[in-house]
Amino acid sequence: MIRRGLVSVSFRKLLPEQIIKAVKASGLSEIEWGGDIHVPPENITLAQSVGKMTERAGLSVSSYGSYYRVGVSEKYETDEFKRVLNTAKCLKAPVIRVWAYNKNFEEAAREEYLTFVAQCRKISKLCEEAKISLAFECHEGTFTNKYMNTLKILGDIGCENVGTYWQPNQFQSNSYNLEAAEALADITFNVHVFHWTKDIRLPLNDGLDIWKRYAGIFKATGRDYGFHLEFMHDDSLASLESTVKVLDEILADN
């Protein structure tokens, strides 16, 4: 099943209740709540409130978009992660997004990588007990900077509840991104949907054709995914309605 949603960091200046209202009005069904502004990990009361507001609106919390970077330093050991995990529990989020260290894979020493893998296993066990999954953000400046690295990382961690998000790398070619989607589709939980060229944000409609090809790869697996709009090209809430229509066209059965 393909679910349609929004990443809350698309509108960092809006309050949670404003985002919920906009998502409901747009016809989307779920929200990935961000841990930087809307639901920071130290505010459990807020997390409970946002979770309840989301549920009362008839929407689902698809995931908790944390900014926890696995393996960065000792302070990011399990005690620090427990704050993130407790927040996800209060939101009733089935997935926690985490970041894979703070370097490109090729730049790290072996000791850094081994520490990272060990910490992933520790926090995945905590998540498993809570029946929550972990997913890495695919991003430059982290160990998941290339899809081949993501495959290696997940293989080395070897935990069933650890997977990845997927999004096109705006610094790579369409052919690379199609390869990446094919390679990662079976271990992807959610997809972030946007259309950029390097750091230039473009309307999603400009990427309609390539996004239909990306979506086709994921749909062909028969797995469940959340397709979440991330950022409007103009940062305007007024663009959400038209962008949702493009998302519907991308996901329409041909």
Side-chain angles (χ1 to χ4, degrees):
M1 181 179 71
I2 302 296
R3 309 178 312 276
R4 296 161 170 82
L6 178 76
V7 180
S8 78
V9 299
S10 302
F11 302 110
R12 284 188 168 99
K13 294 180 181 180
L14 297 185
L15 296 172
E17 49 266 42
Q18 292 174 301
I19 291 174
I20 290 169
K21 182 178 179 181
V23 169
K24 182 73 172 179
S26 72
L28 298 173
S29 63
E30 59 185 34
I31 301 172
E32 176 191 303
W33 286 109
D36 57 344
I37 298 294
H38 295 122
V39 190
E42 65 272 13
N43 196 332
I44 297 300
T45 301
L46 177 61
Q48 291 172 331
S49 174
V50 171
K52 289 176 181 177
M53 281 194 296
T54 306
E55 187 175 359
R56 282 198 298 269
L59 303 172
S60 299
V61 176
S62 63
S63 49
Y64 181 46
S66 85
Y67 288 84
Y68 180 90
R69 288 183 179 265
V70 184
V72 169
S73 68
E74 288 301 317
K75 74 173 184 177
Y76 282 86
E77 272 285 7
T78 53
D79 286 345
E80 180 77 11
F81 182 75
K82 285 176 182 176
R83 296 166 62 198
V84 173
L85 179 58
N86 287 337
T87 305
K89 288 179 181 178
C90 291
L91 282 170
K92 297 182 180 178
V95 180
I96 298 173
R97 182 198 67 182
V98 294
W99 294 63
Y101 205 54
N102 61 356
K103 292 181 181 179
N104 287 324
F105 185 88
E106 299 80 8
E107 299 168 352
R110 178 169 173 76
E111 292 75 16
E112 292 175 288
Y113 179 67
L114 293 177
T115 297
F116 163 81
V117 170
Q119 288 194 14
C120 285
R121 290 172 178 163
K122 285 182 180 180
I123 65 174
S124 72
K125 184 171 288 188
L126 293 174
C127 287
E128 185 179 21
E129 293 169 357
K131 297 182 179 179
I132 291 176
S133 298
L134 277 176
F136 292 111
E137 177 89 351
C138 284
H139 209 282
E140 294 291 324
T142 73
F143 283 167
T144 56
N145 60 317
K146 295 179 180 176
Y147 76 83
M148 304 83 91
N149 299 335
T150 304
L151 289 170
K152 174 175 172 51
I153 288 166
L154 293 175
D156 289 345
I157 293 169
C159 298
E160 290 185 2
N161 66 327
V162 182
T164 187
Y165 280 15
W166 185 85
Q167 62 191 40
N169 186 328
Q170 67 266 34
F171 299 100
Q172 298 283 356
S173 65
N174 288 346
S175 59
Y176 169 90
N177 286 319
L178 287 166
E179 286 180 15
E182 289 276 9
L184 299 177
D186 285 336
I187 49 177
T188 294
F189 294 128
N190 294 317
V191 176
H192 283 171
V193 181
F194 56 81
H195 184 57
W196 294 14
T197 298
K198 295 186 178 179
D199 288 325
I200 300 173
R201 298 183 187 182
L202 300 170
L204 183 60
N205 191 58
D206 289 2
L208 179 62
D209 290 341
I210 189 62
W211 262 104
K212 284 185 176 180
R213 294 179 68 185
Y214 296 151
I217 291 169
F218 289 96
K219 289 164 68 176
T221 69
R223 294 168 59 89
D224 292 346
Y225 302 100
F227 272 64
H228 301 149
L229 295 173
E230 186 177 38
F231 303 116
M232 303 303 103
H233 65 281
D234 55 1
D235 286 328
S236 173
L237 185 61
S239 295
L240 178 60
E241 182 179 353
S242 61
T243 306
V244 170
K245 290 180 180 178
V246 179
L247 179 64
D248 289 343
E249 189 172 352
I250 288 169
L251 297 176
D253 292 329
N254 296 322

